[in-house]
Amino acid sequence: MFSRVVLRNSAALSNVVLRTAGPSIAAAPKMCLLHTSNQKSMPYKMPEHGGKVRLGFIPEEWLQMFYGKTGVTGPYMFGFGLVMYLINKEIYIFGPETVHATVAIGLLVYTIKKFGPSIAAYADRQREADLVQAYSSKNAELANLAEAIEGEKKEQWRLEGRSHLFDAKRENIQMQLELEYRERLQQVANSVKGRLDYQVDVESLRRRMEQQNMVQWIEENVLKSITPQQETAILDKCLTDLKGLAKA
Amino acid sequence: MAGKSVAELQLRDVKLGQLPKWLASCNFSPGSIFKAMQRGRNRYHAKYVNVVKPGVAPVGQFIAVFILVSYIWRYKGEKSHRLSKYHW
């Protein structure tokens, strides 16, 4: 997909191609203008501080020229000498303008020295806020893409696990089949046992009925067979036995 | 390899004897004068203005040049306010 884009717009998107071929996005700096590993094609980067000046308007390079020949006090002596020459020869004339200049320059220096740093800090904060806002959409996009990459990797990992999923499902189904089989075995055993129990109960019932019938019939017949003279003879014997026992 | 011929030297590297030759090799057409002024302005801006944290240099230098140039323009009238006519 990226090669097609590169073929359509030739050089402007070489950076995009380099970006996809370069190091990981998570390691790139957050406030970089271009994410390219080809540093030579980066645009001009502003230096941090400007040229140094002494007394607010004299560049340091001019003073450096003196240091070699005259040492550190050279430029100040030169300035002093120049000022005295101008005043003595009245090339610079003292007048009302001088008073005006003194007051103005004094006020200016005082104001700058007092309020300069705070205003500079405010400007720096504004610049940082602007930069953050300018890069926010880009960084948000980068974060989104990184998240998408993570999602893709996770999907790939899930895909690998799909075969394990099918194995687990197969085992599950087999276990269910086994369970069903055993349940049905149990059912069969139960029903067979039920039928056998029925037979047993029937048999025991028959025997009980026979026993009861026989006992009843025997009792009846025995009672019938006891004739009256036997009854009196037995009763007499019982009485004599009892008397004998009472005596003993 | 810069400066094999006199024309390619910068003014600070030109020796005094080579000065007429160097001046002759300059291009004084209005277009190139304008371009030279633009180069100077860009150099100044690159050094003092187009930085992340500019200092007091542009303001101080502007005020100094302002004072100097306005005094030069006023000098002719100020000469009559001298305290003494003759100086050593």
Side-chain angles (χ1 to χ4, degrees):
Chain A
M1 184 182 94
F2 281 103
S3 58
R4 242 183 287 149
V5 175
V6 166
L7 283 173
R8 255 191 266 144
N9 326 333
S10 54
L13 279 170
S14 61
N15 294 332
V16 175
V17 170
L18 283 167
R19 172 152 73 113
T20 55
S24 76
I25 292 174
K30 287 288 174 202
M31 300 272 245
C32 186
L33 185 60
L34 288 173
H35 268 105
T36 172
S37 53
N38 184 6
Q39 290 296 321
K40 283 213 178 78
S41 66
M42 291 263 287
Y44 169 72
K45 190 169 168 56
M46 286 208 290
E48 187 73 16
H49 289 106
K52 288 204 171 308
V53 286
R54 195 79 75 92
L55 282 181
F57 67 99
I58 307 174
E60 281 282 336
E61 289 81 21
W62 294 6
L63 307 184
Q64 293 290 339
M65 286 196 300
F66 282 92
Y67 285 173
K69 296 276 161 57
T70 66
V72 179
T73 51
Y76 290 111
M77 293 313 296
F78 173 72
F80 182 71
L82 185 68
V83 166
M84 293 317 281
Y85 166 74
L86 290 175
I87 292 175
N88 274 320
K89 285 279 194 187
E90 290 219 277
I91 298 171
Y92 177 75
I93 300 158
F94 273 82
E97 296 298 321
T98 309
V99 177
H100 181 191
T102 318
V103 169
I105 290 176
L107 254 179
L108 199 68
V109 168
Y110 173 74
T111 316
I112 288 178
K113 279 229 159 28
K114 183 141 187 180
F115 298 113
S118 62
I119 293 178
Y122 169 77
D124 282 344
R125 275 201 301 276
Q126 288 296 98
R127 186 170 44 86
E128 286 293 329
D130 284 346
L131 273 178
V132 162
Q133 200 197 13
Y135 283 113
S136 66
S137 64
K138 176 185 167 215
N139 284 342
E141 189 70 27
L142 275 180
N144 268 349
L145 287 175
E147 237 180 78
I149 287 177
E150 285 302 316
E152 283 296 321
K153 287 213 171 83
K154 194 144 201 192
E155 288 301 315
Q156 282 175 359
W157 171 78
R158 282 206 186 121
L159 208 68
E160 279 168 24
R162 205 170 56 168
S163 61
H164 297 299
L165 187 72
F166 284 147
D167 285 343
K169 282 199 169 161
R170 215 174 292 133
E171 271 181 31
N172 217 5
I173 286 176
Q174 277 175 0
M175 222 186 298
Q176 275 180 354
L177 283 175
E178 184 82 21
L179 199 67
E180 190 68 27
Y181 173 69
R182 287 194 189 177
E183 237 174 81
R184 287 188 188 175
L185 263 185
Q186 185 74 18
Q187 263 179 9
V188 161
N190 281 347
S191 67
V192 164
K193 183 164 180 292
R195 293 194 190 181
L196 289 176
D197 279 344
Y198 170 71
Q199 296 295 331
V200 162
D201 281 342
V202 158
E203 192 63 38
S204 64
L205 179 72
R206 175 188 288 276
R207 284 179 72 186
R208 198 170 63 230
M209 298 294 286
E210 280 177 359
Q211 260 184 358
Q212 272 181 357
N213 201 11
M214 202 180 295
V215 161
Q216 197 178 6
W217 189 73
I218 288 174
E219 276 183 9
E220 233 174 276
N221 282 347
V222 163
L223 278 172
K224 267 196 220 141
S225 74
I226 294 177
T227 58
Q229 77 270 19
Q230 268 187 333
E231 203 175 328
T232 50
I234 288 171
L235 273 172
D236 286 333
K237 192 171 184 298
C238 289
L239 280 168
T240 49
D241 280 338
L242 277 168
K243 280 182 189 159
L245 277 170
K247 278 195 191 140
Chain B
M1 275 305 179
K4 253 184 84 178
S5 72
V6 172
E8 286 163 15
L9 284 174
Q10 286 183 329
L11 188 55
R12 69 182 88 171
D13 299 324
V14 170
K15 307 232 184 306
L16 209 55
Q18 297 169 320
L19 198 56
K21 200 167 161 198
W22 187 85
L23 279 175
S25 71
C26 267
N27 190 358
F28 286 109
S29 67
S32 49
I33 287 184
F34 178 70
K35 275 189 206 142
M37 290 202 286
Q38 224 174 22
R39 280 199 303 273
R41 175 245 181 224
N42 285 340
R43 221 173 16 226
Y44 179 79
H45 269 58
K47 187 160 180 202
Y48 291 111
V49 176
N50 289 337
V51 294
V52 173
K53 295 189 181 182
V56 77
V59 173
Q61 283 170 348
F62 171 75
I63 288 172
V65 167
F66 186 88
I67 291 173
L68 191 68
V69 170
S70 69
Y71 189 79
I72 289 171
W73 288 345
R74 295 175 62 96
Y75 184 62
K76 205 160 171 201
E78 290 265 342
K79 267 200 294 200
S80 54
H81 294 142
R82 277 187 170 147
L83 290 174
S84 51
K85 193 166 168 201
Y86 299 105
H87 307 91
W88 59 274

